[in-house]
Amino acid sequence: MNRGRFISIEGGEGAGKSTSIAFIQTFLLQQGIELLSTREPGGTEIAEKIRALLLEHHQEKVDPYAELLLMFAARRQHVSQVIEPALAQGKWVLCDRFTDASYAYQGYGRQLPMAFIDELARWVHGDTNPDCTFLLDLDIEVGMGRARQRNALDRIESEQMSFFAAVRQGYLSRAAAEPGRFRVIDASQDIAGVEAQLQGVLEAMI
Ligand code: TMP
């Protein structure tokens, strides 16, 4: 059986990932592709508990390395229990964030060493990497404005604007370094424009 394709979707807060995910799900379903849609941190019972721990507000300061290691603990559980089995069964996997988020948020945002993240990625998921990554790129003021309207800000969404600026630059640097895998989408366009771009890439993948 052919291995499924692995697609991830990334972007800053309020960039419109949910709308794009809904479109990708519907489009691939129409094409008769069996798709597993999941998210990080999360995607399994244990990884969702780690997600709650990571996103809640705490009195105690969260050490940046502890944050990174928890992201990768959740990821290991998710890859081994959900992502790998699905790909092996020929299903396509659509993941709302993956390791690029650890580089952007913990590497660029928290300024942890990239070499350490490289090592973790290698140990935790080896060759299981997305075939295609959509990066929804948006001005951080616009994105945070949307995020603030949505609901109460979680622990990471409560960071300073300088943190989100570093995250955005981090994502764009990663996209520039791997143009074959990344598809950068201008998320300031209207929904129809974003969907047309997503559809073009998916058609080429099929
Ligand atoms: P979201 O998926 O609902 O946007 O929330 C997940 C939050 O966790 C978001 O602020 C990005 C952050 N995050 C990291 O900091 N590192 C990671 O590796 C992942 C997957 C997410």
Side-chain angles (χ1 to χ4, degrees), residues 10-13 17 39-41 51 54-55 67-68 71-72 75 96-103 105-106 110 150 154 156-157 163-164 171:
E10 303 279 356
E13 322 302 315
K17 285 189 289 124
R39 70 171 180 184
E40 290 215 343
R51 176 190 178 92
L54 278 161
L55 299 185
E67 179 179 279
L68 176 68
M71 293 291 178
F72 271 98
R75 182 162 299 131
D96 179 352
R97 302 194 187 278
F98 196 64
T99 297
D100 292 301
S102 298
Y103 284 100
Y105 284 79
Q106 282 70 49
R110 305 267 188 239
R150 231 170 15 201
D154 65 33
I156 296 180
E157 286 168 339
F163 176 85
F164 299 117
Y171 271 132

Side-chain angles (χ1 to χ4, degrees), residues 137-196:
D137 181 55
L138 185 64
D139 178 271
I140 56 170
E141 299 283 351
V142 177
M144 279 313 293
R146 287 187 195 165
R148 277 189 207 102
Q149 281 179 352
R150 231 170 15 201
N151 42 31
L153 298 182
D154 65 33
R155 188 181 60 85
I156 296 180
E157 286 168 339
S158 308
E159 280 299 332
Q160 312 272 328
M161 290 312 274
S162 57
F163 176 85
F164 299 117
V167 168
R168 184 184 188 196
Q169 282 317 310
Y171 271 132
L172 289 171
S173 305
R174 290 190 61 76
E178 274 188 79
R181 172 167 69 90
F182 274 91
R183 293 288 175 274
V184 182
I185 310 246
D186 172 4
S188 70
Q189 301 172 84
D190 59 13
I191 293 174
V194 171
E195 290 181 352

